[in-house]
Amino acid sequence: MIRHCWSVLCQNIITDSETNIVSYVMTIDNVIAPEFPVVLPFLAIGTSWEKDTGGDVVENFSIRISHVSPEGKVSPFIETGNISMHSYRHRMNFVLNGASFDRAGTHHFNIEARINDMWACVASLPVFVSLSRRNDASAVLNAVKQ
């Protein structure tokens, strides 16, 4: 069986080509918007998975990432096809550049896995979005008006 280990929301994911070591750069849990809607031009989600079956057993699963508004409206963002997991651990990284927020409140990025034809939410990454009270564009890093 496949198990979700962890997920992280960040601005960039860098994988060293020689060592395969991954850096998750500038984690995100808060966005201060100068006005709405606001778009984050750089956004990524890193995930880690492991299987509890033997090394020779291939496990299959799919991943779906959805944006959930503060009101609970679910908008699908990414859905993978079938992923065959051969090794004990597996990382999956997703680039979500251009994610848009149209209002203040706590938004979520839900990570769901389909294992044995059943979808289950394995993680929910919150992002608190607020409106800047200052008239200072430098208060908002890497956010752009849509």
Side-chain angles (χ1 to χ4, degrees):
M1 180 118 187
I2 294 174
R3 183 180 75 83
H4 171 263
C5 300
W6 52 261
S7 291
V8 63
L9 184 65
C10 57
Q11 280 196 345
N12 194 11
I13 300 172
I14 301 168
T15 304
D16 184 277
S17 60
E18 291 181 21
T19 63
N20 202 30
I21 292 175
V22 179
S23 296
Y24 300 94
V25 182
M26 296 181 71
T27 60
I28 297 172
D29 65 355
N30 185 23
V31 173
I32 301 172
E35 59 186 85
F36 292 110
V38 66
V39 176
L40 296 183
F42 305 106
L43 189 65
I45 293 178
T47 66
S48 178
W49 306 82
E50 67 183 19
K51 64 179 184 170
D52 59 8
T53 52
D56 293 339
V57 176
V58 176
E59 297 275 356
N60 296 302
F61 70 115
S62 299
I63 299 171
R64 179 168 58 199
I65 298 175
S66 299
H67 171 244
V68 182
S69 72
E71 297 79 26
K73 180 183 175 196
V74 179
S75 302
F77 219 106
I78 292 175
E79 185 172 327
T80 69
N82 191 52
I83 301 165
S84 295
M85 190 166 164
H86 298 269
S87 61
Y88 168 69
R89 296 202 94 181
H90 189 74
R91 288 189 305 249
M92 290 290 298
N93 298 321
F94 302 93
V95 176
L96 309 176
N97 292 346
S100 177
F101 302 96
D102 62 355
R103 64 183 40 106
T106 302
H107 297 251
H108 287 86
F109 286 94
N110 285 352
I111 314 298
E112 298 174 275
R114 186 183 73 207
I115 303 169
N116 300 326
D117 293 324
M118 299 290 295
W119 284 102
C121 185
V122 296
S124 185
L125 307 175
V127 179
F128 181 72
V129 179
S130 60
L131 189 61
S132 173
R133 299 203 186 278
R134 301 186 312 206
N135 191 12
D136 179 6
S138 67
V140 183
L141 294 177
N142 297 315
V144 295
K145 183 181 171 205
Q146 185 176 31

